């Protein structure tokens, strides 16, 4: 076969694809894709990859044997020794992966689909495929029109994300019996069952089998499991016995090395086909090769990449993410037939925002930054973000910010839309901080009221709904105004008492601003600082 771009080659690294003729599947993908924007984009990316490979191989060629020995010694002393000392064998982590989750839900609701090759998605992109379809090379993240070439009898079912969310939430509730802090995404979960095992007499394998059985009995969904002393090893183990199986990695260095060494580097979570090809150009094929060629990794890769690859090869990773606040962000995205229709894009943006809002609510989190990701019809990717001066979590807030970012990019034909939130903190913590800030401010305001009332007025006079010229009139008629029943006290800013709005979002922005700015003003008293800028609300 003629040279084929990396992104066009059939990817067999998925459960159920082991028996597929890789070369034949690649030929179908190439023939079907020729002339499309997808094909052109993969060719562009391949040129950049080849340039990177040339640079890396040339750099690796400058190393002498003496250099390699010196670097290996440095890596062993400065990195590996300290990593090994921090290795934690004390936890029992379970990674659960629902087998072909979307497809399995559809098969439960429509039993006639079980015997048919079936996928969830559209002709533009598939979300997942059942194991019957995988026999033909059909897999997730594959364009539906290519899948139909591989398997003409394929049945493509449109996705029903609300249904999948409902089943996912049900599974999460079941798993909390074994770990109250289970981390559940749509179709996979991480659990720390260390404490639960202390109350049980059975083996680890028995408990994990019990967990999987409970999920199946209550939902009809089968799941595969990996068990190890950290999340990375557990995830790798899950993939080795799918579908509906489990793998346990013994918690000791020798067992971990024996488990990892023969595996392809592609089995490491986070290593994709581009990194795989880049490493292959350095004769690094297996995980064992990463350790043997650690001097080349150190010399040729960015420091962050080097640490990630070598730690992964050694099986060293965090035991578990115990605090939700340690998460960097959450995201949701949808792939669809390319469109520039405002109406369609609005519906998709609403759907994605609602799912993301549900995720935040499920983990009691709120965020400061909203980022929009779009993939255009030519497969170019754009990301745009905005950081707010207050925390957000409601569906309407996420949608408002994502939609504004999207409107700035239009007109453009889009095939993927995603929304991500960052700067996550527990919602309860934010509410506590807000309450404390307000109480502290009120206390300080009363303390300084007599001597600094005029100065405080100067700080906030531009941010209320009353004009400065109306200030004296407002003070004279405050008592009368407070008795007016048509003005709800809940719609008044409790800090400056000047701003009224029935819009809760607008009021929240103003209150947050007043607290932050006026606390700043109190700290500066009696310094006469410059005038503050008006908030963008």
């Amino acid at each position: 076969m003629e040279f084929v771009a990396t992104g066009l080659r059939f990817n067999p690294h998925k459960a159920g694809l082991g028996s597929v003729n890789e070369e034949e599947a690649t030929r179908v993908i190439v023939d079907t894709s020729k002339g499309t924007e997808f094909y052109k984009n993969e060719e562009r990316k391949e040129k950049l990859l080849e340039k990177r490979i040339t640079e890396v191989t040339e750099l690796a060629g400058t190393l002498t044997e003496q250099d390699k020995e010196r670097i290996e010694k440095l890596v062993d002393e400065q990195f590996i020794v300290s990593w090994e000392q921090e290795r934690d064998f004390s936890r029992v982590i379970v990674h659960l992966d629902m087998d072909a989750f979307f497809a399995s839900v559809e098969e439960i609701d429509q039993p006639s689909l079980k015997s048919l090759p079936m996928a969830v998605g559209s002709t533009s992109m598939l979300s997942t495929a059942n194991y019957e379809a995988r026999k033909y090379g059909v897999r997730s993240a594959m364009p539906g029109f290519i899948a139909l070439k591989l398997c003409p009898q394929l049945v493509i079912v449109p996705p029903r994300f609300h249904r999948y969310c409902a089943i996912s939430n049900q599974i999460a509730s079941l798993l909390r019996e074994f770990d109250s802090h289970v981390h559940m995404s749509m179709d996979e979960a991480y659990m720390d069952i260390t404490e639960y095992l202390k109350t049980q007499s059975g083996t680890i394998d028995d408990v994990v089998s019990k967990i999987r059985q409970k999920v199946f009995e209550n939902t009809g969904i089968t799941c595969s499991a990996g068990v190890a002393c950290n999340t990375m090893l557990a995830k790798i183990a899950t993939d080795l016995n799918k579908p509906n199986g489990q793998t346990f990695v013994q918690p000791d260095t020798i067992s971990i090395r024996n488990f990892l060494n023969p595996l392809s580097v592609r089995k490491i979570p986070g290593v994709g086909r581009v990194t795989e090809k880049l490493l292959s150009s350095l004769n690094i094929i297996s995980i064992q090769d990463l350790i043997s060629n650690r001097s080349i990794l150190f010399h040729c890769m960015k420091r962050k990449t080097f640490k990630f690859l070598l730690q992964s090869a050694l099986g060293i990773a965090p035991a578990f993410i115990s605090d939700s606040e340690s998460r960097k962000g959450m995201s949701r995205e949808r792939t669809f037939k390319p469109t520039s229709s405002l109406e369609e894009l609005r519906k998709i943006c609403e759907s994605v925002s609602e799912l993301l809002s549900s995720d935040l609510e499920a983990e009691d989190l709120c965020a400061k930054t909203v980022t929009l990701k779009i993939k255009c019809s030519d497969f170019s990717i754009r990301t745009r973000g905005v950081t707010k001066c207050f925390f957000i979590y409601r569906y309407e807030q996420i949608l408002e910010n994502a939609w504004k970012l999207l409107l700035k990019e239009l007109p453009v034909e889009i095939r993927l839309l995603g929304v991500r939130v960052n700067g996550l903190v527990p919602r309860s913590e934010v509410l506590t901080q807000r309450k404390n800030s307000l109480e502290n401010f009120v206390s300080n305001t009363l303390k300084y009221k007599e001597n600094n009332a005029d100065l405080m007025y100067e700080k906030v006079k531009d941010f209320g709904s009353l004009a400065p010229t109306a200030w004296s009139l407002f003070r004279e008629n405050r008592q009368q105004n407070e008795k007016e029943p048509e003005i709800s006290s809940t719609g008044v800013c409790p800090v400056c008492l000047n701003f009224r709005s029935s819009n809760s979002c607008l009021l929240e922005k103003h209150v947050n601003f007043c607290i932050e700015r006026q606390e700043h003003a109190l700290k500066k008293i009696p310094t006469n600082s410059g005038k503050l800028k008006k908030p963008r609300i």
Side-chain angles (χ1 to χ4, degrees):
M1 182 183 291
E2 61 182 273
F3 174 77
V4 178
T6 303
L8 294 170
R9 294 199 66 86
F10 176 73
N11 178 12
H13 298 283
K14 190 80 172 178
L17 299 174
S19 61
V20 178
N21 186 321
E22 188 175 343
E23 292 302 316
E24 177 61 22
T26 298
R27 184 190 63 77
V28 172
I29 293 172
V30 172
D31 291 345
T32 308
S33 303
K34 276 184 178 177
T36 64
E37 289 296 334
F38 170 71
Y39 189 93
K40 295 175 184 176
N41 186 61
E42 290 302 326
E43 286 190 322
R44 288 194 295 268
K45 292 196 294 186
E46 189 67 20
K47 290 179 181 178
L48 295 174
L49 177 57
E50 289 297 331
K51 181 180 178 182
R52 171 66 176 147
I53 287 175
T54 300
E55 293 173 350
V56 168
T57 52
E58 289 179 353
L59 186 58
T62 63
L63 280 177
T64 65
E65 289 301 320
Q66 291 78 9
D67 290 334
K68 291 180 181 179
E69 291 178 4
R70 176 179 55 81
I71 294 175
E72 283 183 6
K73 183 178 179 181
L74 181 146
V75 169
D76 293 346
E77 294 176 352
Q78 294 192 10
F79 295 97
I80 295 181
V81 170
S82 61
W83 291 343
E84 288 290 353
Q85 291 174 348
E86 297 172 0
R87 192 191 285 270
D88 184 3
F89 295 123
S90 65
R91 313 306 296 178
V92 180
I93 308 302
V94 179
H95 175 254
L96 288 180
D97 192 356
M98 310 304 131
D99 298 321
F101 181 56
F102 294 177
S104 296
V105 174
E106 296 298 339
E107 288 176 351
I108 291 172
D109 293 347
Q110 303 179 63
S112 60
L113 294 173
K114 288 185 178 181
S115 59
L116 301 175
M118 181 268 289
V120 176
S122 66
T123 53
S124 297
M125 189 63 65
L126 301 181
S127 298
T128 191
N130 67 4
Y131 282 87
E132 190 64 32
R134 295 184 191 189
K135 296 177 182 178
Y136 298 88
V138 179
R139 55 164 293 151
S140 59
M142 172 180 280
F145 65 89
I146 292 178
L148 287 169
K149 291 290 184 180
L150 291 168
C151 179
Q153 65 270 37
L154 180 70
V155 177
I156 299 180
V157 178
R160 300 180 298 151
F161 291 103
H162 289 287
R163 174 65 173 152
Y164 310 147
C165 281
I167 299 293
S168 180
N169 291 336
Q170 183 182 355
I171 293 172
S173 297
L174 296 172
L175 298 181
R176 289 192 184 99
E177 175 188 334
F178 306 92
D179 176 14
S180 59
H181 300 292
V182 59
H183 289 258
M184 182 84 188
S185 65
M186 181 75 82
D187 63 348
E188 62 179 342
Y190 285 100
M191 306 168 61
D192 184 345
I193 62 171
T194 310
E195 298 304 320
Y196 180 82
L197 287 169
K198 294 177 181 179
T199 65
Q200 304 299 308
S201 57
T203 65
I204 292 176
D205 279 325
D206 291 338
V207 171
V208 175
S209 295
K210 177 182 176 182
I211 294 171
R212 293 173 46 240
Q213 184 63 26
K214 183 161 188 173
V215 171
F216 177 73
E217 290 175 352
N218 286 270
T219 65
I221 302 292
T222 64
C223 60
S224 302
V227 189
C229 60
N230 62 53
T231 52
M232 183 202 69
L233 288 171
K235 187 173 179 65
I236 294 175
T238 304
D239 196 51
L240 298 185
N241 198 7
K242 290 178 66 71
N244 199 23
Q246 63 188 57
T247 303
F248 177 39
V249 182
Q250 293 290 339
D252 63 80
T253 303
I254 295 176
S255 297
I256 291 172
R257 292 283 186 89
N258 291 338
F259 168 73
L260 289 175
N261 284 349
L263 299 179
S264 164
V265 293
R266 190 66 183 273
K267 291 296 183 181
I268 297 174
V271 174
R273 54 194 174 189
V274 172
T275 304
E276 180 186 30
K277 185 169 183 178
L278 186 62
L279 292 172
S280 178
S281 69
L282 298 172
N283 296 316
I284 298 175
I285 309 299
S286 69
I287 291 180
Q288 170 64 52
D289 294 335
L290 287 170
I291 300 174
S292 302
N293 294 277
R294 57 193 181 279
S295 59
I296 295 177
L297 288 179
F298 182 85
H299 186 65
C300 299
M301 300 291 180
K302 294 179 180 178
R303 186 56 54 87
K304 185 176 181 180
T305 304
F306 156 75
K307 288 183 177 180
F308 164 72
L309 290 173
L310 189 53
Q311 282 184 323
S312 299
L314 295 169
I316 297 173
F320 197 66
I321 303 173
S322 58
D323 296 321
S324 58
E325 64 187 71
S326 62
R327 293 188 60 169
K328 293 182 180 179
M330 284 183 172
S331 64
R332 288 283 189 171
E333 63 182 41
R334 289 272 305 276
T335 301
F336 41 88
K337 186 176 181 180
T339 181
S340 57
S341 166
L342 269 178
E343 183 179 354
E344 290 184 33
L345 291 174
R346 176 72 182 188
K347 289 180 180 178
I348 295 167
C349 194
E350 288 174 352
S351 173
V352 172
S353 299
E354 185 174 358
L355 288 173
L356 191 53
S357 173
S358 298
D359 291 342
L360 286 171
E361 183 177 359
E363 297 199 30
D364 194 37
L365 297 173
C366 53
K368 273 242 176 181
T369 300
V370 178
T371 301
L372 174 77
K373 171 187 174 183
I374 59 173
K375 182 183 288 185
C376 305
S377 56
D378 63 355
F379 287 85
S380 61
I381 296 177
R382 305 181 192 177
T383 56
R384 303 290 185 267
V386 59
T387 299
K388 312 301 291 184
C389 63
F390 54 94
F391 287 97
I392 64 174
Y393 57 90
R394 292 196 300 270
Y395 156 69
E396 296 82 5
Q397 295 173 314
I398 297 172
L399 175 61
E400 177 188 4
N401 287 284
W403 184 244
K404 284 181 180 179
L405 292 170
L406 179 59
L407 288 177
K408 293 179 182 179
E409 302 302 313
L410 299 178
V412 65
E413 195 172 52
I414 298 172
R415 61 178 297 110
L416 178 147
L417 187 151
V419 181
R420 180 177 178 83
V421 289
N422 293 86
L424 303 181
V425 298
R427 202 179 304 175
S428 55
E429 180 180 309
V430 173
L431 293 175
T432 301
Q433 289 177 348
R434 229 178 241 174
K435 179 182 177 182
N436 292 339
S437 295
L438 183 57
E439 289 176 350
N440 290 337
F441 169 72
V442 171
S443 175
N444 288 332
T445 301
L446 293 175
K447 180 178 179 180
Y448 289 103
K449 180 178 179 182
E450 183 176 355
N451 297 326
N452 300 287
D454 292 337
L455 178 59
M456 291 302 302
Y457 159 65
E458 290 295 329
K459 298 291 182 185
V460 300
K461 66 180 181 181
D462 290 338
F463 305 114
S465 58
L466 298 179
T469 54
W471 177 255
S472 58
L473 181 62
F474 169 76
R475 294 177 68 179
E476 293 173 3
N477 296 303
R478 169 176 287 184
Q479 185 175 2
Q480 179 181 348
N481 289 342
E482 287 176 346
K483 295 179 181 179
E484 293 179 359
E486 65 272 15
I487 299 179
S488 172
S489 61
T490 58
V492 180
C493 173
V495 180
C496 67
L497 302 177
N498 289 339
F499 184 83
R500 293 187 177 90
S501 176
S502 59
N503 186 319
S504 60
C505 183
L506 194 63
L507 183 63
E508 181 182 0
K509 293 179 183 179
H510 178 86
V511 172
N512 287 338
F513 177 83
C514 275
I515 292 173
E516 294 173 6
R517 298 305 187 190
Q518 293 188 20
E519 283 185 331
H520 174 75
L522 283 171
K523 291 177 182 178
K524 295 294 184 179
I525 292 173
T527 304
N528 188 19
S529 56
K531 192 174 183 179
L532 300 174
K533 293 183 179 180
K534 189 172 183 178
R536 298 172 65 184
I537 55 176

